[in-house]
Coordinates of all heavy atoms in Angstrom, one line a residue:
M1 N -23.8 1.0 17.1 CA -23.2 0.0 18.0 C -21.9 0.7 18.6 O -21.0 1.0 17.8 CB -22.9 -1.3 17.3 CG -22.2 -2.3 18.1 SD -22.2 -3.9 17.3 CE -20.8 -3.8 16.2
P2 N -21.8 0.8 19.9 CA -20.6 1.4 20.5 C -19.4 0.5 20.3 O -19.5 -0.7 20.3 CB -21.0 1.6 22.0 CG -22.1 0.6 22.2 CD -22.8 0.4 20.9
A3 N -18.3 1.2 20.2 CA -17.0 0.5 20.1 C -16.6 -0.2 21.4 O -16.8 0.4 22.5 CB -15.9 1.4 19.6
T4 N -16.1 -1.4 21.3 CA -15.6 -2.0 22.6 C -14.2 -1.4 23.0 O -13.5 -0.9 22.1 CB -15.5 -3.5 22.4 OG1 -14.4 -3.7 21.4 CG2 -16.8 -4.2 21.9
Q5 N -13.9 -1.6 24.2 CA -12.6 -1.2 24.7 C -11.5 -1.9 23.9 O -10.4 -1.3 23.6 CB -12.4 -1.4 26.2 CG -11.2 -0.7 26.8 CD -11.2 0.8 26.6 OE1 -12.1 1.5 26.8 NE2 -10.1 1.3 26.0
R6 N -11.7 -3.2 23.7 CA -10.7 -4.0 22.9 C -10.4 -3.4 21.5 O -9.3 -3.3 21.1 CB -11.2 -5.4 22.8 CG -10.3 -6.4 22.2 CD -10.8 -7.8 22.3 NE -10.2 -8.7 21.4 CZ -10.7 -9.0 20.2 NH1 -11.9 -8.5 19.8 NH2 -10.0 -9.7 19.4
Y7 N -11.5 -2.9 20.9 CA -11.4 -2.3 19.6 C -10.7 -1.0 19.7 O -9.8 -0.7 18.9 CB -12.8 -2.1 18.9 CG -12.7 -1.4 17.6 CD1 -12.4 -2.1 16.4 CD2 -13.1 -0.1 17.5 CE1 -12.3 -1.4 15.2 CE2 -13.0 0.6 16.3 CZ -12.6 -0.1 15.2 OH -12.6 0.5 13.9
L8 N -11.0 -0.2 20.6 CA -10.4 1.1 20.8 C -8.9 1.0 21.1 O -8.1 1.7 20.6 CB -11.1 1.9 21.9 CG -12.5 2.3 21.6 CD1 -13.2 3.0 22.9 CD2 -12.6 3.3 20.4
D9 N -8.6 0.0 21.9 CA -7.2 -0.3 22.3 C -6.4 -0.7 21.0 O -5.3 -0.2 20.8 CB -7.0 -1.4 23.3 CG -7.5 -0.9 24.7 OD1 -7.7 0.3 24.9 OD2 -7.7 -1.8 25.6
A10 N -7.0 -1.6 20.2 CA -6.4 -2.0 19.0 C -6.2 -0.9 18.0 O -5.1 -0.7 17.4 CB -7.2 -3.1 18.3
I11 N -7.2 0.0 17.8 CA -7.1 1.2 17.0 C -5.9 2.0 17.4 O -5.1 2.5 16.6 CB -8.4 2.0 17.0 CG1 -9.5 1.3 16.1 CG2 -8.2 3.4 16.5 CD1 -9.2 1.3 14.6
K12 N -5.8 2.2 18.7 CA -4.8 3.1 19.3 C -3.4 2.5 18.9 O -2.5 3.3 18.5 CB -4.9 3.2 20.8 CG -4.1 4.3 21.4 CD -4.3 4.4 22.9 CE -5.8 4.6 23.3 NZ -6.0 4.7 24.7
V13 N -3.2 1.2 19.0 CA -1.9 0.6 18.7 C -1.6 0.6 17.2 O -0.6 1.0 16.8 CB -1.9 -0.8 19.3 CG1 -0.6 -1.6 18.9 CG2 -1.9 -0.7 20.9
Y14 N -2.6 0.0 16.5 CA -2.3 -0.3 15.1 C -2.6 0.9 14.1 O -1.8 1.0 13.1 CB -3.1 -1.5 14.6 CG -2.6 -2.8 15.4 CD1 -3.2 -3.2 16.5 CD2 -1.4 -3.4 15.0 CE1 -2.8 -4.3 17.2 CE2 -0.9 -4.5 15.7 CZ -1.6 -5.0 16.8 OH -1.1 -6.0 17.5
K15 N -3.6 1.6 14.3 CA -3.9 2.7 13.4 C -2.9 3.8 13.5 O -2.4 4.4 12.5 CB -5.3 3.3 13.6 CG -5.8 4.1 12.4 CD -7.3 4.4 12.4 CE -7.7 5.1 11.2 NZ -9.2 5.3 11.2
T16 N -2.5 4.1 14.7 CA -1.5 5.2 14.9 C -0.1 4.8 14.4 O 0.6 5.6 13.9 CB -1.4 5.6 16.4 OG1 -1.6 4.5 17.2 CG2 -2.3 6.7 16.8
S17 N 0.2 3.5 14.4 CA 1.5 3.0 14.0 C 1.5 2.8 12.4 O 2.6 2.7 11.8 CB 1.9 1.7 14.6 OG 1.0 0.7 14.2
G18 N 0.3 2.8 11.8 CA 0.2 2.6 10.4 C 0.1 1.2 10.0 O 0.0 0.9 8.8
Y19 N 0.1 0.3 10.9 CA 0.0 -1.2 10.6 C -1.5 -1.5 10.7 O -2.0 -2.2 11.6 CB 0.8 -2.0 11.6 CG 2.2 -1.7 11.6 CD1 2.9 -1.2 12.7 CD2 3.0 -1.8 10.4 CE1 4.3 -0.9 12.7 CE2 4.3 -1.5 10.4 CZ 5.0 -1.1 11.5 OH 6.3 -0.8 11.5
Y20 N -2.2 -1.1 9.7 CA -3.7 -1.1 9.7 C -4.3 -1.1 8.3 O -3.9 -0.3 7.5 CB -4.1 0.2 10.5 CG -5.6 0.5 10.5 CD1 -6.4 -0.1 11.5 CD2 -6.2 1.3 9.6 CE1 -7.8 0.1 11.5 CE2 -7.6 1.6 9.6 CZ -8.3 1.0 10.6 OH -9.7 1.2 10.6
F21 N -5.2 -2.0 8.1 CA -6.1 -2.0 6.9 C -7.5 -1.9 7.4 O -8.0 -2.6 8.3 CB -6.0 -3.4 6.2 CG -4.8 -3.5 5.3 CD1 -3.7 -4.3 5.7 CD2 -4.7 -2.8 4.1 CE1 -2.6 -4.5 4.9 CE2 -3.6 -3.0 3.3 CZ -2.5 -3.8 3.7
Q22 N -8.3 -1.0 6.7 CA -9.7 -0.9 7.0 C -10.4 -1.5 5.7 O -10.0 -1.1 4.6 CB -10.1 0.6 7.1 CG -11.6 0.8 7.3 CD -11.9 2.2 7.5 OE1 -11.8 3.0 6.6 NE2 -12.4 2.6 8.7
F23 N -11.3 -2.3 5.9 CA -12.1 -2.9 4.8 C -13.5 -2.4 4.8 O -14.2 -2.5 5.7 CB -12.1 -4.5 4.9 CG -10.7 -5.1 4.6 CD1 -9.8 -5.2 5.7 CD2 -10.3 -5.4 3.4 CE1 -8.5 -5.7 5.5 CE2 -9.1 -5.9 3.1 CZ -8.2 -6.1 4.2
V24 N -13.8 -1.8 3.6 CA -15.2 -1.2 3.4 C -15.6 -1.8 2.0 O -14.9 -1.6 1.1 CB -15.2 0.3 3.4 CG1 -16.6 0.8 3.1 CG2 -14.7 0.8 4.8
D25 N -16.7 -2.4 2.0 CA -17.2 -3.1 0.7 C -16.1 -4.0 0.1 O -15.9 -4.0 -1.1 CB -17.6 -2.0 -0.3 CG -18.8 -1.2 0.1 OD1 -19.7 -1.8 0.9 OD2 -18.9 -0.1 -0.2
C26 N -15.4 -4.6 1.0 CA -14.3 -5.6 0.7 C -13.1 -4.9 -0.1 O -12.3 -5.6 -0.8 CB -14.8 -6.7 -0.2 SG -15.1 -8.2 0.8
H27 N -12.9 -3.6 0.1 CA -11.8 -2.9 -0.4 C -10.9 -2.5 0.8 O -11.4 -1.8 1.7 CB -12.2 -1.7 -1.2 CG -13.0 -2.0 -2.4 ND1 -12.4 -2.5 -3.6 CD2 -14.3 -1.9 -2.7 CE1 -13.3 -2.7 -4.5 NE2 -14.5 -2.3 -4.0
G28 N -9.6 -2.9 0.7 CA -8.7 -2.5 1.7 C -8.1 -1.1 1.6 O -7.8 -0.7 0.5
L29 N -8.1 -0.4 2.7 CA -7.5 1.0 2.7 C -6.5 1.0 3.8 O -6.8 0.7 4.9 CB -8.6 2.0 3.0 CG -9.7 2.2 1.9 CD1 -10.9 3.0 2.5 CD2 -9.1 2.8 0.7
P30 N -5.3 1.3 3.5 CA -4.7 1.7 2.2 C -4.7 0.4 1.3 O -4.9 -0.7 1.8 CB -3.3 2.2 2.5 CG -2.9 1.4 3.8 CD -4.2 1.3 4.6
G31 N -4.3 0.6 0.1 CA -4.3 -0.5 -0.8 C -3.1 -1.5 -0.6 O -3.1 -2.6 -0.9
S32 N -2.0 -0.9 0.0 CA -0.9 -1.7 0.3 C -0.1 -1.2 1.5 O -0.2 0.0 1.8 CB 0.1 -1.8 -0.9 OG 0.6 -0.6 -1.2
L33 N 0.6 -2.1 2.2 CA 1.5 -1.7 3.3 C 2.8 -2.4 3.1 O 2.9 -3.5 2.5 CB 0.9 -2.2 4.6 CG -0.3 -1.5 5.3 CD1 -0.6 -2.2 6.6 CD2 0.1 0.0 5.6
T34 N 3.9 -1.8 3.6 CA 5.2 -2.5 3.7 C 5.4 -2.8 5.2 O 5.3 -1.9 6.0 CB 6.3 -1.5 3.1 OG1 6.0 -1.2 1.8 CG2 7.6 -2.2 3.2
L35 N 5.7 -4.1 5.4 CA 5.9 -4.5 6.8 C 7.2 -5.4 6.9 O 7.6 -6.0 5.9 CB 4.7 -5.4 7.2 CG 3.4 -4.8 7.2 CD1 2.3 -5.9 7.3 CD2 3.2 -3.8 8.4
K36 N 7.8 -5.5 8.0 CA 8.8 -6.4 8.3 C 8.2 -7.8 8.5 O 7.0 -7.9 9.0 CB 9.6 -6.0 9.6 CG 10.3 -4.7 9.5 CD 11.6 -4.8 8.7 CE 12.4 -3.5 8.8 NZ 13.3 -3.4 7.7
K37 N 8.9 -8.9 8.2 CA 8.3 -10.2 8.4 C 8.0 -10.4 9.9 O 8.8 -10.0 10.7 CB 9.2 -11.3 7.8 CG 10.6 -11.4 8.4 CD 11.4 -12.5 7.6 CE 12.8 -12.6 8.1 NZ 13.5 -13.6 7.4
G38 N 6.9 -11.1 10.2 CA 6.5 -11.3 11.5 C 5.8 -10.2 12.2 O 5.3 -10.3 13.4
K39 N 5.7 -9.0 11.6 CA 5.1 -7.8 12.2 C 3.6 -8.0 12.3 O 2.9 -8.5 11.3 CB 5.4 -6.6 11.4 CG 4.9 -5.3 12.0 CD 5.8 -4.9 13.2 CE 5.2 -3.6 13.9 NZ 5.8 -3.4 15.2
K40 N 3.0 -7.6 13.4 CA 1.5 -7.7 13.5 C 0.8 -6.5 12.9 O 1.4 -5.4 13.0 CB 1.1 -7.9 15.0 CG 1.6 -9.2 15.6 CD 0.9 -9.5 16.9 CE 1.4 -10.9 17.4 NZ 1.2 -12.0 16.6
F41 N -0.4 -6.7 12.3 CA -1.1 -5.6 11.8 C -2.6 -5.9 11.9 O -3.0 -7.1 12.2 CB -0.7 -5.3 10.3 CG -1.0 -6.5 9.3 CD1 -2.1 -6.5 8.5 CD2 -0.1 -7.5 9.2 CE1 -2.3 -7.5 7.6 CE2 -0.3 -8.5 8.3 CZ -1.4 -8.5 7.5
M42 N -3.4 -4.9 11.8 CA -4.9 -5.0 12.1 C -5.7 -5.0 10.8 O -5.4 -4.3 9.9 CB -5.3 -3.8 12.9 CG -6.7 -3.8 13.4 SD -7.0 -2.4 14.5 CE -8.8 -2.5 14.7
L43 N -6.6 -5.9 10.8 CA -7.6 -6.0 9.7 C -9.0 -5.6 10.3 O -9.5 -6.3 11.2 CB -7.7 -7.5 9.2 CG -6.4 -8.1 8.7 CD1 -6.6 -9.6 8.5 CD2 -5.9 -7.4 7.5
D44 N -9.5 -4.5 9.9 CA -10.7 -3.9 10.5 C -11.8 -3.9 9.5 O -11.8 -3.3 8.4 CB -10.3 -2.4 10.8 CG -11.4 -1.7 11.6 OD1 -12.4 -2.3 12.0 OD2 -11.3 -0.5 11.8
N45 N -12.8 -4.8 9.8 CA -14.0 -5.0 8.9 C -15.0 -3.9 9.3 O -15.7 -4.0 10.3 CB -14.6 -6.4 9.1 CG -15.8 -6.6 8.2 OD1 -16.1 -5.8 7.3 ND2 -16.6 -7.6 8.5
R46 N -15.2 -2.9 8.4 CA -16.2 -1.9 8.7 C -17.5 -2.1 7.9 O -18.3 -1.2 7.8 CB -15.6 -0.5 8.3 CG -14.4 -0.1 9.1 CD -14.7 0.3 10.5 NE -14.7 -0.9 11.4 CZ -15.3 -1.0 12.6 NH1 -16.0 0.0 13.0 NH2 -15.3 -2.1 13.3
D47 N -17.7 -3.3 7.4 CA -19.0 -3.7 6.7 C -20.0 -4.2 7.7 O -19.6 -4.8 8.8 CB -18.7 -4.7 5.6 CG -18.0 -4.1 4.4 OD1 -18.1 -2.8 4.2 OD2 -17.3 -4.8 3.7
G48 N -21.2 -4.1 7.4 CA -22.3 -4.6 8.2 C -22.6 -6.1 8.1 O -23.6 -6.6 8.4
K49 N -21.6 -6.8 7.5 CA -21.7 -8.3 7.4 C -20.4 -8.9 7.6 O -19.3 -8.3 7.5 CB -22.4 -8.7 6.1 CG -21.6 -8.3 4.9 CD -22.4 -8.5 3.6 CE -21.7 -9.3 2.6 NZ -22.4 -9.6 1.4
T50 N -20.4 -10.2 7.9 CA -19.2 -11.0 8.1 C -18.4 -11.1 6.8 O -19.0 -11.3 5.8 CB -19.5 -12.4 8.7 OG1 -20.2 -12.2 10.0 CG2 -18.3 -13.2 8.9
R51 N -17.1 -11.0 6.9 CA -16.2 -11.1 5.8 C -15.1 -12.1 6.1 O -14.7 -12.2 7.2 CB -15.5 -9.8 5.4 CG -16.5 -8.6 5.1 CD -17.1 -8.8 3.7 NE -17.8 -7.6 3.3 CZ -18.5 -7.6 2.2 NH1 -18.6 -8.6 1.4 NH2 -19.1 -6.5 1.8
K52 N -14.7 -12.8 5.0 CA -13.6 -13.7 5.1 C -12.4 -13.0 4.5 O -12.4 -12.8 3.3 CB -13.8 -15.1 4.4 CG -12.6 -16.0 4.6 CD -12.8 -17.4 4.0 CE -11.6 -18.2 4.3 NZ -11.7 -19.5 3.7
I53 N -11.4 -12.6 5.3 CA -10.2 -11.9 4.9 C -9.0 -12.8 5.0 O -8.8 -13.4 6.1 CB -10.1 -10.6 5.7 CG1 -11.3 -9.7 5.4 CG2 -8.8 -9.9 5.2 CD1 -11.4 -8.4 6.2
A54 N -8.3 -13.0 4.0 CA -7.2 -13.9 4.0 C -5.9 -13.4 3.3 O -6.0 -12.6 2.4 CB -7.6 -15.2 3.2
I55 N -4.8 -13.8 3.9 CA -3.5 -13.5 3.2 C -3.2 -14.7 2.4 O -3.2 -15.8 2.9 CB -2.4 -13.3 4.3 CG1 -2.8 -12.2 5.3 CG2 -1.1 -13.0 3.6 CD1 -1.9 -12.1 6.5
V56 N -3.2 -14.5 1.1 CA -3.0 -15.6 0.1 C -1.8 -16.5 0.6 O -0.7 -15.9 0.7 CB -2.9 -15.1 -1.3 CG1 -2.7 -16.3 -2.3 CG2 -4.2 -14.4 -1.7
G57 N -2.0 -17.8 0.8 CA -1.0 -18.7 1.2 C -0.6 -18.6 2.7 O 0.3 -19.2 3.1
G58 N -1.4 -17.8 3.4 CA -1.1 -17.6 4.8 C -2.4 -17.7 5.7 O -3.3 -18.5 5.5
Q59 N -2.5 -16.8 6.6 CA -3.6 -16.7 7.6 C -4.9 -16.4 6.9 O -4.9 -15.6 5.9 CB -3.3 -15.7 8.7 CG -2.1 -16.1 9.6 CD -1.8 -14.9 10.5 OE1 -1.5 -13.8 10.1 NE2 -2.0 -15.2 11.8
S60 N -6.0 -16.9 7.5 CA -7.3 -16.6 7.1 C -8.2 -16.2 8.3 O -8.0 -16.9 9.3 CB -7.9 -17.8 6.3 OG -9.2 -17.5 5.9
F61 N -9.0 -15.2 8.2 CA -9.9 -14.8 9.3 C -11.3 -14.6 8.8 O -11.6 -14.1 7.7 CB -9.4 -13.4 9.8 CG -8.0 -13.4 10.3 CD1 -7.0 -13.1 9.4 CD2 -7.6 -13.7 11.6 CE1 -5.6 -13.1 9.8 CE2 -6.3 -13.7 12.0 CZ -5.3 -13.4 11.1
T62 N -12.3 -15.1 9.6 CA -13.7 -14.8 9.4 C -14.0 -13.7 10.4 O -14.0 -13.9 11.7 CB -14.5 -16.0 9.6 OG1 -14.1 -17.0 8.7 CG2 -16.0 -15.7 9.4
I63 N -14.2 -12.4 9.9 CA -14.4 -11.3 10.8 C -15.8 -10.8 10.7 O -16.3 -10.4 9.7 CB -13.4 -10.2 10.4 CG1 -11.9 -10.7 10.3 CG2 -13.5 -9.0 11.3 CD1 -10.9 -9.7 9.8
S64 N -16.5 -10.8 11.9 CA -17.9 -10.4 11.9 C -18.0 -8.9 11.6 O -17.0 -8.2 11.7 CB -18.5 -10.8 13.2 OG -17.8 -10.2 14.3
A65 N -19.3 -8.5 11.4 CA -19.5 -7.1 11.1 C -19.0 -6.2 12.1 O -19.1 -6.4 13.3 CB -21.1 -6.9 11.0
Y66 N -18.3 -5.1 11.7 CA -17.7 -4.1 12.5 C -16.8 -4.7 13.6 O -16.7 -4.2 14.7 CB -18.8 -3.3 13.2 CG -19.8 -2.7 12.2 CD1 -21.0 -3.2 12.0 CD2 -19.3 -1.7 11.3 CE1 -21.9 -2.6 11.0 CE2 -20.1 -1.1 10.3 CZ -21.4 -1.6 10.2 OH -22.2 -1.1 9.2
N67 N -16.1 -5.7 13.2 CA -15.1 -6.3 14.1 C -13.7 -6.3 13.5 O -13.6 -5.7 12.4 CB -15.5 -7.7 14.5 CG -15.1 -8.1 15.9 OD1 -14.1 -7.6 16.4 ND2 -15.8 -9.1 16.5
F68 N -12.7 -6.9 14.1 CA -11.4 -6.9 13.6 C -10.6 -8.1 14.0 O -11.1 -8.9 14.8 CB -10.7 -5.6 14.2 CG -10.3 -5.7 15.6 CD1 -9.0 -6.1 16.0 CD2 -11.2 -5.4 16.6 CE1 -8.7 -6.2 17.4 CE2 -10.9 -5.5 17.9 CZ -9.7 -5.9 18.3
A69 N -9.5 -8.3 13.3 CA -8.5 -9.4 13.7 C -7.1 -8.8 13.6 O -6.9 -7.8 12.9 CB -8.7 -10.5 12.7
I70 N -6.2 -9.4 14.3 CA -4.8 -9.1 14.3 C -4.1 -10.2 13.5 O -4.1 -11.3 13.9 CB -4.2 -8.9 15.7 CG1 -5.0 -7.9 16.5 CG2 -2.7 -8.5 15.6 CD1 -5.1 -6.5 15.9
A71 N -3.5 -9.8 12.4 CA -2.8 -10.7 11.6 C -1.3 -10.5 11.8 O -0.8 -9.5 12.3 CB -3.1 -10.5 10.1
T72 N -0.5 -11.5 11.3 CA 1.0 -11.5 11.4 C 1.5 -11.5 10.0 O 1.1 -12.4 9.2 CB 1.5 -12.6 12.2 OG1 0.9 -12.6 13.5 CG2 3.0 -12.6 12.4
A73 N 2.4 -10.6 9.6 CA 3.0 -10.6 8.3 C 3.7 -12.0 8.1 O 4.4 -12.5 9.0 CB 3.9 -9.5 8.1
P74 N 3.6 -12.5 6.9 CA 4.3 -13.8 6.6 C 5.8 -13.7 6.7 O 6.4 -12.6 6.7 CB 3.9 -14.1 5.1 CG 2.7 -13.3 4.8 CD 2.8 -12.1 5.7
S75 N 6.5 -14.8 6.9 CA 7.9 -14.8 7.1 C 8.6 -14.8 5.7 O 9.8 -14.6 5.7 CB 8.4 -16.0 7.9 OG 7.9 -17.2 7.4
T76 N 7.9 -15.0 4.6 CA 8.5 -15.0 3.3 C 8.5 -13.6 2.8 O 7.5 -12.9 2.7 CB 7.6 -15.8 2.4 OG1 7.4 -17.1 3.0 CG2 8.3 -16.0 1.0
V77 N 9.7 -13.1 2.4 CA 9.9 -11.8 1.9 C 9.2 -11.7 0.5 O 9.3 -12.6 -0.3 CB 11.4 -11.4 1.8 CG1 11.6 -10.1 1.0 CG2 12.0 -11.4 3.2
G78 N 8.6 -10.6 0.2 CA 7.9 -10.4 -1.1 C 6.5 -9.8 -1.0 O 6.1 -9.5 0.1
T79 N 5.8 -9.8 -2.1 CA 4.4 -9.3 -2.1 C 3.4 -10.4 -1.8 O 3.5 -11.5 -2.3 CB 4.1 -8.6 -3.4 OG1 5.0 -7.6 -3.7 CG2 2.7 -8.1 -3.5
H80 N 2.5 -10.1 -0.8 CA 1.5 -11.1 -0.5 C 0.2 -10.3 -0.6 O 0.0 -9.2 -0.2 CB 1.7 -11.5 1.0 CG 3.0 -12.2 1.3 ND1 3.1 -13.5 1.2 CD2 4.2 -11.7 1.6 CE1 4.4 -13.9 1.5 NE2 5.0 -12.7 1.7
Y81 N -0.8 -11.0 -1.3 CA -2.1 -10.4 -1.6 C -3.1 -10.8 -0.5 O -3.0 -11.9 0.1 CB -2.6 -10.8 -2.9 CG -1.7 -10.3 -4.0 CD1 -0.7 -11.1 -4.6 CD2 -1.8 -9.0 -4.4 CE1 0.2 -10.6 -5.5 CE2 -0.9 -8.4 -5.4 CZ 0.1 -9.2 -5.9 OH 0.9 -8.7 -6.8
I82 N -3.9 -9.8 -0.2 CA -5.0 -10.0 0.8 C -6.3 -10.0 0.1 O -6.6 -9.2 -0.7 CB -5.0 -8.9 1.9 CG1 -3.7 -8.9 2.6 CG2 -6.2 -9.1 2.8 CD1 -3.5 -7.8 3.6
T83 N -7.1 -11.1 0.3 CA -8.4 -11.2 -0.3 C -9.5 -10.9 0.7 O -9.3 -11.2 1.9 CB -8.6 -12.6 -1.0 OG1 -8.6 -13.6 0.0 CG2 -7.6 -12.8 -2.1
C84 N -10.7 -10.5 0.2 CA -11.9 -10.3 1.0 C -13.0 -11.1 0.3 O -13.3 -10.7 -0.9 CB -12.2 -8.8 1.2 SG -13.6 -8.5 2.1
D85 N -13.5 -12.1 0.9 CA -14.5 -12.9 0.3 C -14.1 -13.5 -1.0 O -14.8 -13.6 -2.0 CB -15.9 -12.2 0.2 CG -16.5 -12.0 1.5 OD1 -16.1 -12.5 2.6 OD2 -17.5 -11.2 1.6
G86 N -12.8 -13.8 -1.1 CA -12.2 -14.4 -2.3 C -11.7 -13.4 -3.4 O -11.1 -13.8 -4.3
G87 N -12.1 -12.1 -3.3 CA -11.6 -11.2 -4.3 C -10.4 -10.4 -3.8 O -10.2 -10.3 -2.6
G88 N -9.7 -9.8 -4.8 CA -8.5 -9.0 -4.4 C -8.9 -7.8 -3.6 O -9.9 -7.1 -4.0
A89 N -8.2 -7.5 -2.5 CA -8.6 -6.3 -1.7 C -7.5 -5.4 -1.4 O -7.6 -4.2 -1.3 CB -9.3 -6.8 -0.4
A90 N -6.3 -6.0 -1.2 CA -5.1 -5.2 -0.8 C -3.9 -6.1 -0.9 O -3.9 -7.3 -1.3 CB -5.3 -4.8 0.7
S91 N -2.7 -5.5 -0.5 CA -1.5 -6.3 -0.6 C -0.5 -5.8 0.5 O -0.6 -4.7 1.0 CB -0.8 -6.3 -1.9 OG -0.3 -5.0 -2.2
I92 N 0.4 -6.7 0.9 CA 1.5 -6.3 1.8 C 2.8 -6.7 1.2 O 2.9 -7.7 0.5 CB 1.4 -6.9 3.2 CG1 1.2 -8.4 3.2 CG2 0.2 -6.3 4.0 CD1 1.2 -9.1 4.5
L93 N 3.8 -5.8 1.3 CA 5.1 -6.1 0.9 C 5.9 -6.4 2.1 O 6.1 -5.5 3.0 CB 5.7 -4.9 0.1 CG 7.2 -5.0 -0.3 CD1 7.4 -6.2 -1.2 CD2 7.7 -3.7 -0.9
V94 N 6.4 -7.6 2.2 CA 7.2 -8.1 3.4 C 8.6 -7.9 3.1 O 9.1 -8.4 2.1 CB 6.8 -9.5 3.7 CG1 7.7 -10.0 4.9 CG2 5.3 -9.6 4.1
Q95 N 9.3 -7.2 4.0 CA 10.8 -7.0 3.9 C 11.4 -7.8 5.1 O 10.8 -8.0 6.1 CB 11.1 -5.5 4.0 CG 10.5 -4.8 2.8 CD 10.9 -3.3 2.9 OE1 11.1 -2.7 4.0 NE2 11.0 -2.7 1.7
P96 N 12.7 -8.1 4.9 CA 13.4 -8.8 6.0 C 13.5 -8.1 7.3 O 13.4 -6.9 7.4 CB 14.8 -9.1 5.4 CG 14.9 -8.4 4.1 CD 13.6 -7.8 3.8

């Protein structure tokens, strides 16, 4: 399946800046990111099926196969866990 221009544009912005999680088999790569509160980052589902990816206590996304969503880091400083289909997948450390 060819990549859409929207996907390629998002990759260019978020992957190059490092504000990017790739999910394969519900495992986030990298395992953690440090972000400023309110910073946008990309959730990239590289699995062949729809996944529910959520920031615990925050945003939740249903991302179809080989698709993505743009999330916003919570405004609460500290560690926030990201789940994939309910299991632990990654974390973000939010700084002021």
